[in-house]
Every structure is written in C-alpha cells, then in structure tokens.
Amino acid sequence: MTKSFRTILAGSRRSEGAPRNVRLMVAVAAGVLMLAGAASADEASTSASSTLRELGAQVQLRIGTAAVPNDLSDPTLAQITADQFSVLTPGNEMKWQVVEPSPGTFNWTGADNLVNFAEEHRERVRGHTLVWHNQLPNWLTQGVANGTISDAQLRDLLHQHITTEVSRYRGRIWQWDVVNEMMTDSNPSQLNPNDFWIAHLGAGLLADVFRWAHAADPDALLCYNDYNIAGEDGSNAKFNAAFTTVKSLLAQKVPIDCVGDQGHLDLQFGFNPILMTQDLRAYASLGLKVAITEADVRTFVETTDSDQTPIVSKTDPTPSHTANPAGADWYVGMLQSCLAVKACISFTVWGFADAESWIPGTFKGEGDADLYDVNLNPKPQYTALQQTLSLARGAPHRGGSSREED
Ligand code: XIL
C-alpha cells in the first residue's frame, strides 16, 4: 500500500467520531484521491517521500542499517531507523566483547533493545557476529596469550558462546553472520592461517561453527561475511578464496545459507559493479542467498586542523558531499548489483548518518560515507538509492506485490 493511500485511510479512520457531513467530505476526498492514485500508481510509488523500505518492499528487497544504542534512543535517529529500514544489524551489541565482558557474566541490554525495537517496527534482524578475530573479550584473548586457556578450552568456550547467543534469540534472527572476515587480503587470497581462530583451532573449525549455530536456531539463515569478496579488490583474489571456501563447506553438507559482502567502498580505490554482480551471481549459483551487509562509500574530506581531524563532525557541521558525486554513483552500483541477482535478499548500510559514522574514527581523514549529512538531511547518496529502487520495479524478475515477507 502506498504511503499516500495509507494516510488517506488513516484520515478517514480518524474522522469516525466527526459529524456526518465532515465524514462525508473526507470520504469523497479520499475517493477522488484514490482514483487519482489508481490512474498513476507508478508515479505514486516513486514520490520523493517514499521511504527506502517501502521502495525496497516493492521489489522484494529489504533495506537495512546498522544501529548502535544511540540510534535507538535519540528520537530523530530512531524515527529514521524505523521509517526507512526493514532490517537492523547491531553495530556492536552482539559482539562477544559486549555480551560477555567477564567470564560467565552477560550483558544483553543493547542486543535485547535492538531486537525489541526491530520487532516493534516490523524490521528483521541480522545477527552480527559470532566468530571474528576482533572485539573479543580481553579475558579471552589474555587467557589464550598467557596459557591459562588451552586450545581445547577455547573450542569449548566458542561452542558455548555460539550456543548461548544464538539460542537466546532463537526464532528472532533472520540472518546470522556466523563467521566474519577470515580471508587474507593478499593475492592470491586464502583462508587466513594466522586468523586468531584458525591459528588455534584449525580450518576444520569453520564447518563446526556453522553446525553449532544451526543446532541452536535451525531457522536462521547462516552467513559467511567479509569485505572485498565481490570484486571490490579488482583482482577477484578474495572472491576466489571465499568462493572456494563456501563451496567446500557446501560439499561437506555444512548448513551455510548465505554470503554477505560488506561493501565498504573507498573512492580512492576502483570499483566495478559489473564484477560485483558477476560474483554475487556466482555465490548464488551454489544455491546460496547473498546480501550486501555493511555498505558505505568513504572519501577523504576537507580537514580543519593540523592533526587532520575530519571536518565531518557534529561540532563543525559542514557537509562536504557537494564535492563527492561519485559517492552516490558507487552506492547505486552496489544496489544495482544486488537488484540484478534474485538471490540478493537484503541491502544494508553500515549506519546512515555521517555524524554517527565509524569511518572518521577508523580511517584517518576520511568520512562523508553515509546517506545523511551531519544535519540529518538526506544526501544525493540517499536520493540516488530511492531512484534506483523505484526504477527496479520495472526489472523483469522484480515486479509483483509489495510484501516484505518473501
Ligand atoms: C565496527 C563498528 O562500527 C565500530 O563501532 C567498532 O568500533 C569496530 O567495528 N566490519 C565489521 C563490523 O564486520 O563489525 C565493523 O564494525 C566494521 C567493519
């Protein structure tokens, strides 16, 4: 149902307690507007006020964002999170470091809030992430380093961690990023022998962790998630490594359902959307779903002081996006790659607002990576996605109903 039609209905429902002549006027006005709407259904579905989630629903693609607690407690950010997106990923709140700060002591507050928020707003959740070398609790990495945690104990702890977390949210998580970032950045690339988990527990662990997650929630889609595994490295080296790995897992009958390509682009490097489409299609040819899971497009931004503090900050709200039209193009390229592959079930951005972005804190001098500027105004990046989604409605395999459920 289009937003305008919903508004009309809401208006006529609100008029139920009004005098009869007012009710009649509302009904007539609604009828006229509905006729006008019927005559130009396509135009109505592509209006400037259409949200990303509405436009995505029309082409059976869920549009998501990562959220951190601030996004859900700040009224303006929460409103955008609810209005624009139909998938939520916790930016940090489900990582081991956060959920088990000391052995056996759990903190589920942030994760619970996010899952509750998502359900309240009919959004699905991408669980992120169970097996990753980063953001592990200190007690775990220190214990391994000083020998008080043996490899056998480490394996048990990981098994327990996966079982506890996945069971807690059983039935409430759509996709789980079971394994995150395990390929090397070299050419050729391979499963990283120096990855914390592989180094201690061996490559056979990969099959085990998917099986453990599946046992704890048989309905969740289980994904391998990584960056530069859909052509962004130009050489396809990382794609080759990821493809070989997931193919071998499938051959071992491991319950893996999807590949997530993070989609963290940087304008200083090349990007070829055709290669991305081809790679997503290749994963799909194995029978897997695919998803863009952490899209953003960063670039160097003007700086204000000698230590290169990015200008994109809350205290100096000068958006630099006018100098960055390519940012919108690359977002569109990624979205089009996803739209071109029927198995691509969600397109998620890693936060939507420049002022909240992880980029300036991680990549020195870079920013301007998101859909909304520091004043929370939609940037050309946002309108370009709106336009691309509305055009996708005409794509041969993406017509049909506007249900989000499929
Ligand atoms: C990032 C978060 O956004 C930051 O807040 C945190 O400090 C570091 O991690 N790839 C991933 C995400 O899979 O988990 C990372 O998230 C970004 C890169």
Side-chain angles (χ1 to χ4, degrees):
M1 192 189 299
T2 64
K3 196 174 186 181
S4 49
F5 184 52
R6 239 188 278 138
T7 313
I8 293 163
L9 274 188
S12 57
R13 274 188 212 119
R14 268 198 300 276
S15 75
E16 275 159 19
R20 193 170 176 277
N21 57 344
V22 174
R23 266 186 285 155
L24 194 66
M25 276 163 60
V26 169
V28 169
V32 169
L33 282 171
M34 277 169 67
L35 280 179
S40 58
D42 282 347
E43 285 84 351
S45 68
T46 60
S47 82
S49 62
S50 298
T51 65
L52 297 180
R53 73 182 285 175
E54 285 171 340
L55 293 169
Q58 291 177 354
V59 288
Q60 283 86 49
L61 179 65
R62 281 182 177 259
I63 308 296
T65 187
V68 290
N70 188 38
D71 299 341
L72 306 181
S73 53
D74 175 288
T76 315
L77 294 172
Q79 188 75 48
I80 296 174
T81 305
D83 287 350
Q84 296 292 333
F85 301 99
S86 55
V87 186
L88 276 194
T89 308
N92 291 305
E93 305 307 307
M94 285 188 179
K95 291 172 181 171
W96 198 343
Q97 186 179 60
V98 175
V99 300
E100 197 177 357
S102 51
T105 306
F106 296 95
N107 170 17
W108 302 108
T109 316
D112 283 355
N113 285 345
L114 182 131
V115 175
N116 291 337
F117 181 98
E119 287 173 354
E120 210 174 296
H121 297 95
R122 296 176 302 104
E123 295 167 314
R124 291 190 181 176
V125 179
R126 296 196 79 261
H128 177 82
T129 177
L130 299 168
V131 188
W132 191 29
H133 60 272
N134 266 339
Q135 293 181 276
L136 292 169
N138 284 340
W139 59 264
L140 185 87
T141 48
Q142 278 165 12
V144 170
N146 68 24
T148 54
I149 296 176
S150 70
D151 284 352
Q153 287 168 323
L154 181 66
R155 187 182 154 84
D156 286 346
L157 286 167
L158 181 62
H159 188 174
Q160 220 171 74
H161 165 63
I162 291 174
T163 306
T164 307
E165 181 152 0
V166 177
S167 309
R168 180 177 181 88
Y169 298 107
R170 185 182 172 127
R172 302 174 76 191
I173 304 289
W174 183 33
Q175 307 172 35
W176 261 114
D177 287 335
V178 178
V179 175
N180 201 34
E181 301 182 353
M182 253 189 205
M183 304 300 148
T184 59
D185 289 325
S186 54
N187 184 3
S189 171
Q190 60 174 333
L191 193 61
N192 188 356
N194 301 319
D195 176 271
F196 176 83
W197 293 107
I198 303 292
H200 287 281
L201 304 178
L205 178 75
L206 232 61
D208 296 332
V209 294
F210 280 96
R211 291 190 173 119
W212 295 338
H214 182 70
D217 187 350
D219 293 328
L221 296 174
L222 306 182
C223 309
Y224 175 76
N225 191 54
D226 209 335
Y227 58 91
N228 290 358
I229 57 165
E232 305 96 315
D233 60 359
S235 65
N236 251 4
K238 256 182 118 165
F239 161 77
N240 290 334
F243 184 82
T244 307
T245 302
V246 296
K247 194 173 173 190
S248 133
L249 291 174
L250 286 166
Q252 299 164 61
K253 306 243 175 306
V254 170
I256 176 170
D257 306 290
C258 39
V259 170
D261 180 58
Q262 294 182 359
H264 293 295
L265 301 187
D266 186 326
L267 290 182
Q268 70 180 306
F269 307 122
F271 169 56
N272 177 347
I274 294 290
L275 196 54
M276 179 173 267
T277 306
Q278 180 187 306
D279 289 351
L280 294 180
R281 214 168 257 152
Y283 294 121
S285 74
L286 298 174
L288 296 170
K289 303 285 184 205
V290 292
I292 301 296
T293 55
E294 308 185 12
D296 48 23
V297 183
R298 64 185 182 269
T299 189
F300 285 95
V301 292
E302 302 157 60
T303 54
T304 50
D305 52 26
S306 52
D307 76 347
Q308 308 282 295
T309 305
I311 203 168
V312 179
S313 71
K314 274 184 174 159
T315 47
D316 187 354
T318 309
S320 58
H321 67 259
T322 45
N324 177 19
D329 286 356
W330 287 21
Y331 264 107
V332 166
M334 282 195 280
L335 178 57
Q336 286 177 333
S337 295
C338 177
L339 286 165
V341 180
K342 199 170 182 179
C344 191
I345 52 175
S346 57
F347 179 90
T348 294
V349 296
W350 201 246
F352 54 82
D354 280 339
E356 314 298 316
S357 174
W358 72 299
I359 295 290
T362 309
F363 300 93
K364 204 158 179 53
E366 295 192 71
D368 195 14
D370 302 283
L371 305 181
Y372 289 71
D373 70 17
V374 289
N375 298 316
L376 286 180
N377 293 315
K379 290 163 42 177
Q381 281 80 339
Y382 172 89
T383 43
L385 292 190
Q386 265 188 318
Q387 173 80 329
T388 305
L389 286 169
S390 43
L391 288 173
R393 209 165 168 229
H397 58 263
R398 287 196 175 268
S401 76
S402 56
R403 291 188 311 135
E404 289 179 341
E405 280 67 35
D406 297 332

